[in-house]
């Protein structure tokens, strides 16, 4: 039997507060392959920073490229002031061979790539070849010749036109066979490479053009730079010339921290997108003085010490970064500098005082927790010094005592009610904030949220964070944040690109654990860029013209969730529909977000007493044939938001909403006249 529902909206009583556009923010973290996926550089180990992986002393992702019997390789110290190492290649004249290094890469085309090489060579070496080839067929895709003009270190640039897209290309940097030979003697045939990089012409500030385009569509409002790595990150290592930035080990996630996306690049990224930056400072291994220098680097005039450094780096005008976060999950044992709530609160005071001394106008966020004992200590000790308390909300099947053996229908119903936990966490934290006059001025910032399925470190199969079911849950999370938007001003979906498995923009064929799953490129589509179903949800919500809430009353059926663990919420009668109604500033447009989280079709009637629609209703729909449906490199648009017009009368008389689907109704409304 078809379920029925009725939604009644009081269009004449808009709420008193304005919905903050920062509610629809996103999150950038140097985690796993996030930076590799987001940035446009197709090569790895561009500074020869990694150890040799084979018997030959060739750095990391590179391999020897030679048909010479006696070509020798070594890793040496880099050029002065540069980081990483130099790759030495010695070409023996008697071999009459080509000699250099090569690396597999996926290339777009037809596309012009800019080549950057830092090299020195013995004087008889006159030029280098940089070429792209199809490593399966040996088809030449593009070639550039670089004339070597110095025995000393020198930076060279060239253009490399790539004729076509090739997912299995190879970049080769070498001295060719036809190069004039030399008489063997001391100090001949030696080439040192300190840096080799390529950038496609469509990059924007070093970011993939496709990623930038997709991120623009998210209309994010705010972009957060933070995550576990930040508690061991020193910002001064990530500014200035990229060649001179030190190579830093990523202490949270392993591998190298990206030296190619520091403060200046992050600010450019935000400005290209037209969003507000939010920077989380290192309070784990850092100091208040270092945090204050970071604030001054971003906001100080060129006459201040750190403002002068910024100006010398090519950015004379202050960045004016207003929002600063102290601490990322400091309560977690995995976090560098983890400590008790009391200790963090004391630390928070010293950081806030130092940062506000550098710029009194900054807005301070402090690390909060779903554990209210933690929040109580932070609020009581540091409350007078902060403007926002943060929450990270990841809900998963572990809350219900479920696992992969739990029937799929029960698992989905648990996913669908994750937002009930969000509501409970917000409610309890708000009560804690409002308990004492000393900290009632503080608002909430949910600086990370997503679905979560444990274990989240070693994965098998397709991750649920990418499914239609996860999109339903995240639409519910946004509804909860909208309902609480008098207190919740900031949201940061976790994360933006690949990285942790929930990244809503996907580059290439990472579906499961990045460390133990299939090698990237296994699908033959490493260049495909697409959005998850949750990407569609985030885009849908953030691009609606909403400013205030409208009261909405919902009469509908319900379902139950059979949890194997006690829960702080009643799981016996979960409403089929989750509804939030909004209006724009002048009341001319109304938007109704409806999440049908049940597994049944629901016939919904829309009741708007006192109003009539001045036109047909736009109906946005995100739906699919299965709650486990995903987008992938093979079907990047399996789940897409669609829009159509629906007569107002159809919704008044009852309109079918598909199971496990997300809707937004948009209508131009005018008061009935009489």
């Amino acid at each position: 039997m078809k379920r029925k529902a009725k939604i009644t909206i009081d269009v004449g009583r808009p709420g008193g507060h304005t919905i903050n556009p920062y509610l629809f923010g996103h999150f950038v973290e140097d985690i796993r392959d996030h930076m590799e996926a987001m940035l446009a550089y197709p090569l790895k180990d561009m500074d020869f920073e990694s150890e040799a992986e084979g018997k030959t002393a060739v750095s990391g992702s590179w391999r020897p490229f030679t048909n010479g019997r006696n070509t020798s390789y070594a890793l040496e110290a880099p050029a002065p002031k540069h980081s990483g190492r130099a790759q030495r290649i010695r070409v023996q004249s008697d071999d009459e061979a080509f000699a250099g290094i090569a690396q597999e890469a996926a290339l777009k085309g037809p596309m012009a790539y800019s080549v950057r090489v830092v090299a020195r060579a013995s004087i008889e070496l006159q030029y280098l070849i940089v070429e792209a080839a199809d490593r399966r067929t040996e088809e030449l895709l593009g070639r550039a010749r670089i004339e070597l003009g110095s025995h000393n270190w020198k930076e060279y640039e060239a253009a490399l036109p790539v004729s076509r897209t090739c997912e299995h290309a190879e970049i080769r940097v070498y001295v060719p066979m036809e190069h004039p030979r030399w008489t063997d003697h001391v100090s001949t045939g030696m080439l040192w490479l300190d840096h080799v990089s390529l950038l496609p012409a469509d990059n924007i500030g070093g970011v993939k053009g496709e990623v930038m385009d997709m991120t623009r569509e998210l209309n994010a409002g705010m972009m957060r730079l933070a995550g576990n790595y930040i508690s061991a990150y020193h910002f001064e290592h990530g500014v200035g010339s990229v060649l001179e930035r030190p190579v830093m080990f990523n202490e949270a996630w392993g591998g190298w921290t990206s030296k190619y996306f520091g403060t200046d690049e992050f600010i450019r990224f935000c400005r290209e997108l037209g969003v507000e930056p939010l920077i989380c400072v290192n309070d784990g291994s850092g100091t208040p003085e270092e945090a204050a220098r970071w604030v001054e680097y971003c906001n100080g005039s060129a006459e201040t010490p750190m403002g002068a450094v910024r100006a010398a780096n090519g950015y004379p005008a202050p960045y004016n970064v207003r929002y600063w976060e102290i601490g990322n999950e400091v309560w977690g044992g995995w976090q560098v500098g983890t400590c008790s709530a009391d200790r963090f609160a004391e630390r928070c005071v010293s950081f806030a005082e130092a940062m506000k001394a550098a710029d009194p106008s900054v807005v301070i966020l402090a690390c909060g927790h779903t554990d209210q004992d933690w929040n109580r200590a932070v609020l009581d000790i540091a409350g007078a010094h902060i403007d926002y308390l943060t929450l990270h909300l990841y809900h998963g099947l572990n809350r219900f005592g479920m696992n992969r053996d739990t029937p799929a229908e029960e698992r989905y119903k648990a996913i669908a009610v994750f937002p009930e936990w969000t509501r409970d966490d917000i409610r309890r934290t708000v009560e804690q904030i409002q308990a004492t006059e000393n900290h009632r001025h503080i608002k909430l910032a949910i600086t990370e949220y997503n679905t979560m399925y444990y274990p989240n470190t070693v994965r098998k199969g397709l991750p649920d964070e990418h499914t239609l079911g996860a999109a339903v849950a995240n639409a519910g999370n946004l509804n909860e944040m909208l309902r609480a938007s008098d207190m919740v001003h900031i949201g940061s979906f976790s994360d933006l690109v690949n990285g942790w498995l929930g990244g809503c923009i996907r580059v290439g064929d990472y579906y499961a654990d990045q460390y133990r799953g299939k090698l990237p490129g296994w699908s033959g589509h490493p260049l495909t860029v697409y959005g998850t179903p949750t990407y569609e949800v985030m885009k849908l919500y953030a691009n609606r013209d909403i400013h205030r809430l409208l009261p909405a009353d919902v009469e509908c059926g319900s379902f139950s969730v059979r949890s194997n663990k006690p829960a702080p919420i009643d799981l016996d009668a979960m409403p089929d529909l989750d509804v939030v109604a909004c209006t724009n500033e002048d009341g001319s447009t109304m938007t109704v977000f409806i999440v049908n989280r049940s597994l049944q079709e629901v016939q919904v009637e829309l009741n708007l007493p006192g109003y009539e629609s001045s036109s047909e209703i736009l109906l946005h729909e995100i739906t699919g044939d299965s709650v486990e449906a995903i987008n992938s490199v093979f079907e990047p648009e399996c789940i897409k938001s669609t829009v159509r017009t629906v007569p107002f009368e159809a919704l008044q008389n009852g309109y079918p909403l598909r199971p496990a689907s997300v809707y937004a109704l948009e209508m131009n409304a005018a008061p009935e006249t009489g």
Side-chain angles (χ1 to χ4, degrees):
M1 181 176 173
K2 189 175 294 185
R3 296 182 185 236
K4 294 186 177 182
K6 184 176 182 180
I7 300 171
T8 302
I9 299 172
D10 190 342
V11 295
R13 285 200 303 122
H17 70 274
T18 299
I19 298 165
N20 196 317
Y22 300 161
L23 206 62
F24 305 106
H26 285 264
F27 169 40
V28 170
E29 177 180 5
D30 195 342
I31 173 175
R32 297 174 179 167
D33 68 325
H34 189 299
M35 292 302 174
E36 178 185 328
M38 184 174 82
L39 299 183
Y41 300 96
L43 296 177
K44 302 177 184 178
D45 290 318
M46 296 182 288
D47 301 290
F48 306 101
E49 60 269 30
S50 295
E51 298 292 336
E53 294 181 356
K55 293 182 179 179
T56 306
V58 176
S59 173
S61 301
W62 297 95
R63 71 171 183 86
F65 180 68
T66 183
N67 61 346
R69 184 170 297 180
N70 297 300
T71 304
S72 60
Y73 296 86
L75 290 168
E76 297 185 356
K81 298 184 180 180
H82 288 194
S83 65
R85 287 178 293 195
Q87 179 72 65
R88 174 161 58 84
I89 305 158
R90 186 162 193 184
V91 188
Q92 298 293 333
S93 178
D94 287 348
D95 279 349
E96 296 185 351
F98 60 80
I101 55 174
Q103 183 178 144
E104 295 178 12
L107 301 176
K108 297 184 291 186
M111 178 69 68
Y113 281 78
S114 60
V115 179
R116 190 182 192 187
V117 174
V118 178
R120 65 179 293 256
S122 50
I123 59 174
E124 66 280 357
L125 292 184
Q126 301 168 15
Y127 64 91
L128 281 177
I129 297 297
V130 179
E131 71 181 22
D134 185 321
R135 59 187 170 85
R136 295 182 178 179
T137 66
E138 287 298 312
E139 175 193 353
L140 183 66
L141 305 172
R143 173 176 286 178
R145 174 170 165 149
I146 295 176
E147 302 295 333
L148 297 172
S150 177
H151 178 255
N152 208 341
W153 289 111
K154 185 176 178 181
E155 184 174 334
Y156 301 92
E157 293 184 356
L160 178 67
V162 173
S163 59
R164 65 170 176 85
T165 294
C166 184
E167 290 85 359
H168 36 78
E170 186 169 73
I171 296 296
R172 299 159 178 174
V173 185
Y174 66 100
V175 177
M177 285 171 44
E178 61 270 20
H179 190 289
R181 294 292 130 173
W182 49 91
T183 303
D184 279 334
H185 62 280
V186 175
S187 186
T188 59
M190 284 191 282
L191 170 68
W192 290 264
L193 298 171
D194 174 82
H195 171 89
V196 177
S197 64
L198 276 72
L199 266 178
D202 65 349
N203 87 90
I204 301 174
V207 176
K208 287 184 172 76
E210 304 93 329
V211 169
M212 188 66 80
D213 290 342
M214 290 191 67
T215 307
R216 279 199 186 96
E217 292 186 23
L218 287 170
N219 193 25
M222 178 174 277
M223 190 67 64
R224 175 178 183 251
L225 180 69
N228 286 355
Y229 88 104
I230 212 78
S231 293
Y233 178 78
H234 299 288
F235 85 96
E236 285 156 303
H237 294 172
V239 297
S241 166
V242 292
L243 296 176
E244 296 182 15
R245 296 177 188 179
V247 173
M248 294 180 287
F249 187 75
N250 190 324
E251 295 179 40
W253 300 110
W256 302 113
T257 293
S258 176
K259 61 187 260 184
Y260 292 89
F261 195 80
T263 302
D264 302 315
E265 290 79 15
F266 174 65
I267 297 300
R268 176 173 178 180
F269 182 59
C270 291
R271 288 185 171 175
E272 292 280 354
L273 296 169
V275 302
E276 188 78 20
L278 164 61
I279 294 177
C280 185
V281 299
N282 174 4
D283 89 309
S285 63
T287 64
E289 294 75 19
E290 181 182 30
R293 290 198 302 275
W294 202 348
V295 171
E296 187 176 276
Y297 182 86
C298 288
N299 298 352
S301 73
E303 284 69 47
T304 62
M306 292 308 299
V309 174
R310 183 195 65 243
N313 290 338
Y315 309 96
Y319 293 145
N320 297 321
V321 178
R322 293 186 61 222
Y323 291 85
W324 295 82
E325 185 175 357
I326 301 172
N328 181 86
E329 298 179 3
V330 184
W331 34 263
W334 54 86
Q335 198 71 44
V336 172
T338 185
C339 62
S340 68
D342 288 356
R343 177 70 190 99
F344 169 72
E346 293 164 357
R347 212 157 71 188
C348 189
V349 170
S350 62
F351 270 75
E353 288 177 340
M355 293 163 72
K356 289 196 174 185
D359 181 353
S361 71
V362 297
V363 177
I364 298 294
L365 292 72
C367 173
H369 195 8
T370 54
D371 180 347
Q372 298 308 317
D373 289 338
W374 174 279
N375 290 341
R376 186 179 303 110
V378 172
L379 292 168
D380 288 348
I381 296 170
H385 299 267
I386 66 176
D387 303 288
Y388 285 86
L389 190 68
T390 70
L391 288 178
H392 288 183
L393 301 179
Y394 295 106
H395 311 305
L397 297 175
N398 61 311
R399 291 193 184 277
F400 301 88
M402 295 180 179
N403 56 38
R404 294 289 178 183
D405 296 327
T406 304
E409 181 174 323
E410 290 303 314
R411 280 188 280 123
Y412 166 73
K413 289 192 292 184
I415 294 166
V417 302
F418 284 174
E420 302 287 340
W421 293 81
T422 296
R423 179 188 304 174
D424 187 64
D425 287 329
I426 291 173
R427 177 189 60 78
R428 291 186 300 111
T429 307
V430 168
E431 288 175 356
Q432 193 68 251
I433 288 172
Q434 295 179 340
T436 304
E437 184 66 31
N438 184 48
H439 42 67
R440 284 182 188 155
H441 66 282
I442 292 172
K443 303 298 183 183
L444 267 179
I446 301 177
T447 52
E448 291 184 31
Y449 69 95
N450 202 339
T451 52
M452 173 72 81
Y453 299 78
Y454 293 91
N456 71 311
T457 51
V458 180
R459 307 296 296 272
K460 294 180 179 180
L462 302 179
D464 296 275
E465 285 86 0
H466 295 190
T467 64
L468 176 61
V472 167
N474 281 312
N477 277 330
L478 286 173
N479 281 358
E480 294 299 343
M481 291 158 65
L482 283 167
R483 274 189 280 268
S485 55
D486 59 329
M487 287 294 292
V488 181
H489 290 184
I490 293 171
S492 301
F493 179 78
S494 176
D495 17 350
L496 183 64
V497 187
N498 284 35
W500 176 68
L501 297 170
C504 67
I505 298 173
R506 309 303 298 180
V507 176
D509 47 24
Y510 290 96
Y511 299 132
D513 179 71
Q514 290 95 331
Y515 299 126
R516 296 170 177 82
K518 298 172 182 175
L519 290 172
W522 65 270
S523 68
H525 300 281
L527 295 172
T528 301
V529 182
Y530 63 94
T532 67
T534 292
Y535 171 87
E536 297 295 314
V537 166
M538 299 299 298
K539 184 171 67 171
L540 175 65
Y541 274 68
N543 284 287
R544 308 281 67 79
D545 185 8
I546 58 174
H547 288 268
R548 299 181 189 277
L549 295 176
L550 293 169
D553 179 70
V554 182
E555 302 171 40
C556 64
S558 63
F559 60 94
S560 63
V561 180
R562 294 202 298 268
S563 177
N564 298 316
K565 292 170 65 174
I569 51 181
D570 183 2
L571 298 173
D572 291 333
M574 294 284 97
D576 290 342
L577 301 187
D578 180 353
V579 179
V580 172
C582 308
T583 181
N584 65 346
E585 191 60 48
D586 64 8
S588 61
T589 300
M590 183 161 38
T591 302
V592 184
F593 297 109
I594 308 172
V595 182
N596 180 11
R597 53 188 188 174
S598 78
L599 286 167
Q600 307 296 322
E601 181 178 284
V602 175
Q603 192 92 5
V604 65
E605 295 179 20
L606 185 63
N607 182 30
L608 305 176
Y611 259 59
E612 62 179 14
S613 175
S614 61
S615 64
E616 290 185 313
I617 293 175
L618 285 179
L619 176 69
H620 301 265
E621 181 182 53
I622 299 171
T623 189
D625 295 331
S626 165
V627 296
E628 295 181 345
I630 66 166
N631 294 338
S632 71
V633 292
F634 303 109
E635 293 184 273
E637 297 188 353
C638 176
I639 305 294
K640 292 287 285 187
S641 179
T642 60
V643 61
R644 60 184 178 274
T645 57
V646 177
F648 184 47
E649 294 75 18
L651 281 157
Q652 285 180 309
N653 298 329
Y655 192 87
L657 304 183
R658 296 192 67 191
S661 300
V662 179
Y663 295 86
L665 312 180
E666 282 186 291
M667 62 199 84
N668 295 323
E672 287 184 352
T673 57

